[in-house]
Amino acid sequence: MIRVLLVDDQPLLRSGFRALLSLEDDIEVVAEAADGEECLALVRKHVPDVALIDIQMPVMDGIEATRRIAADLALAGVHVVMLTNYGMDEYVFDALRAGAAGFLVKDIVPEDFLHAVRVAARGDALLAPAITRKLIDRYVTQPPTSRAAGGCLEELTSREREAVALVAQGLSNDEIAARMVITPLTAKTHINRAMTKLHARDRAQLVILAYESGLVTPRTSWPPRSHNL
């Protein structure tokens, strides 16, 4: 059973999400919160598999709540998915660095929303193609001197580095396996080992590390890829 916490300051929106999730046999909404402080209290009480958290809320915003969840070792199994009204806004990059596993726009169609909850619950990063594209575009437009220096990936094997580079391009496990001529399970193993060595909470953070280290150079010709990194 996937246990979900809903966090949004709009009661009507929470009710809609709850009604949709409650129809599923494998998903349970364990609690609801209207602000970041209430979110933290309920996360510690219920330790859900997935916390769906709005970015902009009173008392404490979603990014700060996410940062505190990610910093608590007792909550390492909680996967945060941020909710936003926009396909991309100024907070996305900061939220991913804070520990969010991904983003969903609030007008997402029901079937995609349910799929996203299940993807997040199994520990995979979740970014809409427009958001992945925007992250890449952000690096394209930054001057080289503002990007982080390389060197953080020195602990990785050559195959792990290759897998991380493909993750940063938005490829799924199956696509990475095909590109590297290995099985999807081996691809996932390379990615998981890279996450462990780099102390990355999830694959969304691997994307950031890949660009900041210079392992991947953004190219405007990359198309948007799969939702599931």
Side-chain angles (χ1 to χ4, degrees):
M1 182 69 71
I2 299 171
R3 304 170 71 252
V4 176
L5 171 67
L6 296 175
V7 187
D8 196 293
D9 60 339
Q10 300 179 47
L12 185 59
L13 189 65
R14 293 201 312 271
S15 296
F17 283 147
R18 174 183 279 276
L20 182 61
L21 293 169
S22 297
L23 294 174
E24 302 301 303
D25 294 336
D26 62 333
I27 300 175
E28 175 189 7
V29 177
V30 296
E32 297 180 25
D35 60 63
E37 283 192 359
E38 187 179 8
C39 165
L40 289 176
L42 291 174
V43 165
R44 290 166 181 149
K45 178 180 179 180
H46 296 282
V47 192
D49 301 300
V50 177
L52 298 171
I53 303 178
D54 188 20
I55 294 178
Q56 296 176 299
M57 295 183 295
V59 185
M60 179 189 296
D61 64 33
I63 294 176
E64 181 58 27
T66 299
R67 185 176 294 112
R68 297 191 188 190
I69 291 170
D72 190 336
L73 293 179
L75 303 176
V78 178
H79 305 292
V80 174
V81 176
M82 307 299 294
L83 300 171
T84 176
N85 286 316
Y86 313 102
M88 173 67 191
D89 59 39
E90 62 188 87
Y91 305 108
V92 168
F93 187 79
D94 289 340
L96 289 174
R97 296 195 68 172
F103 274 78
L104 292 176
V105 290
K106 294 182 180 180
D107 61 355
I108 188 172
V109 297
E111 54 267 32
D112 287 344
F113 174 70
L114 294 171
H115 172 70
V117 170
R118 294 184 174 103
V119 167
R122 68 175 182 247
D124 289 338
L126 185 85
L127 295 176
I131 292 175
T132 303
R133 180 72 219 159
K134 199 71 174 186
L135 285 173
I136 294 171
D137 287 345
R138 174 165 179 161
Y139 279 93
V140 170
T141 58
Q142 283 181 344
T145 54
S146 70
R147 296 177 189 160
C152 71
L153 305 180
E154 293 177 354
E155 296 184 31
L156 303 185
T157 66
S158 60
R159 294 296 267 174
E160 289 165 355
R161 289 169 63 91
E162 183 179 357
V164 171
L166 294 173
V167 166
Q169 293 181 31
L171 273 64
S172 68
N173 282 352
D174 288 344
E175 292 168 329
I176 291 171
R179 188 75 65 86
M180 296 179 67
V181 196
I182 55 178
T183 67
L185 179 59
T186 300
K188 186 173 183 178
T189 298
H190 285 319
I191 294 165
N192 288 343
R193 286 177 178 170
M195 287 171 56
T196 299
K197 290 179 180 180
L198 298 173
H199 307 289
R201 185 179 176 90
D202 53 43
R203 279 183 275 189
Q205 292 192 335
L206 280 186
V207 173
I208 294 171
L209 286 169
Y211 286 108
E212 290 189 331
S213 68
L215 176 64
V216 174
T217 301
R219 296 189 308 224
T220 56
S221 60
W222 283 345
R225 302 294 305 212
S226 152
H227 286 228
N228 177 10
L229 293 179

